[in-house]
Amino acid sequence: MPLNAQQLNTATFAELLANTRHTAVHLEMRDVYAVGDERDDFENFLRTGVPNLDPARSFWPQWMPLVKDAVARGVVMRRARIVSEPVTDYIRYEHAITPLNLQAGEDVRWLPRRHASDIPLPGNDFWLLDERLVQFHHFSGTGDWAPDGKERTTAPAAVALCSAAFETVWERGIPHEKYTVQAS
């Protein structure tokens, strides 16, 4: 059942995704994230160089069922990441754990930042659900969630900007299986 305007503002992301019927696209544009639910795995990756690919650990037990359920309903889930090269340690880590995103049912592409210079981009990472709802993500300068970590809108101009930006990044992006990180 579709959510009303009030529910769009108060629903969890899981509830929003459960109400998504066609597409869920995510654009990430930061080179460093420092969100709490990844901290231990990231620090271990820095120490060992080995990613944690156990879908039963970290944030994956919550994420993977959401994606699998959406994909089973016919939702196409795509994630695009704009990255600086050579990549940061965090992007090396993110690239190394992306097989779990793929295993869940997402399709992932990478776009070197130098190929994004002429793309009109919103100021924040976002999810765009069914070409109707944008959830922007707000982060602190250090990469953790800002106190107002999300903002949602159905404003046609914001939806159009995010849709055009994502599709251009996606078109230029390199599929995960073909993208090799260039570490410094």
Side-chain angles (χ1 to χ4, degrees), residues 4-22:
N4 63 38
Q6 171 65 24
Q7 292 168 321
L8 287 178
N9 289 322
T10 60
T12 65
F13 186 78
E15 291 168 332
L16 294 177
L17 191 55
N19 277 277
T20 299
R21 298 291 169 241
H22 308 289

Side-chain angles (χ1 to χ4, degrees), residues 20-41:
T20 299
R21 298 291 169 241
H22 308 289
T23 59
V25 301
H26 186 36
L27 182 60
E28 299 175 14
M29 299 179 282
R30 295 180 59 92
D31 287 317
V32 175
Y33 294 88
V35 294
D37 59 356
E38 294 179 331
R39 191 166 289 124
D40 291 342
D41 284 346

Side-chain angles (χ1 to χ4, degrees), residues 35-104:
V35 294
D37 59 356
E38 294 179 331
R39 191 166 289 124
D40 291 342
D41 284 346
F42 178 52
E43 289 173 1
N44 187 57
F45 176 78
L46 289 177
R47 279 193 309 278
T48 67
V50 178
N52 174 11
L53 294 177
D54 181 354
R57 292 220 18 220
S58 193
F59 55 87
W60 296 106
Q62 294 78 39
W63 183 245
M64 291 185 82
L66 295 176
V67 175
K68 287 180 178 186
D69 180 61
V71 171
R73 289 192 322 273
V75 175
V76 175
M77 292 192 69
R78 298 180 294 158
R79 181 184 299 256
R81 295 171 170 145
I82 299 173
V83 296
S84 299
E85 291 180 322
V87 301
T88 62
D89 287 340
Y90 181 84
I91 296 301
R92 279 190 320 106
Y93 159 75
E94 193 171 52
H95 187 269
I97 65 170
T98 296
L100 290 170
N101 294 94
L102 302 174
Q103 181 182 332

Side-chain angles (χ1 to χ4, degrees), residues 122-162:
N124 294 292
D125 292 5
F126 65 85
W127 278 96
L128 174 60
L129 305 176
D130 282 341
E131 294 282 329
R132 65 179 180 83
L133 172 68
V134 178
Q135 177 172 293
F136 290 108
H137 291 178
H138 298 178
F139 295 94
S140 69
T142 60
D144 202 352
W145 291 108
D148 63 340
K150 66 178 186 279
E151 169 189 359
R152 294 178 181 158
T153 183
T154 57
V159 168
L161 171 66
C162 292

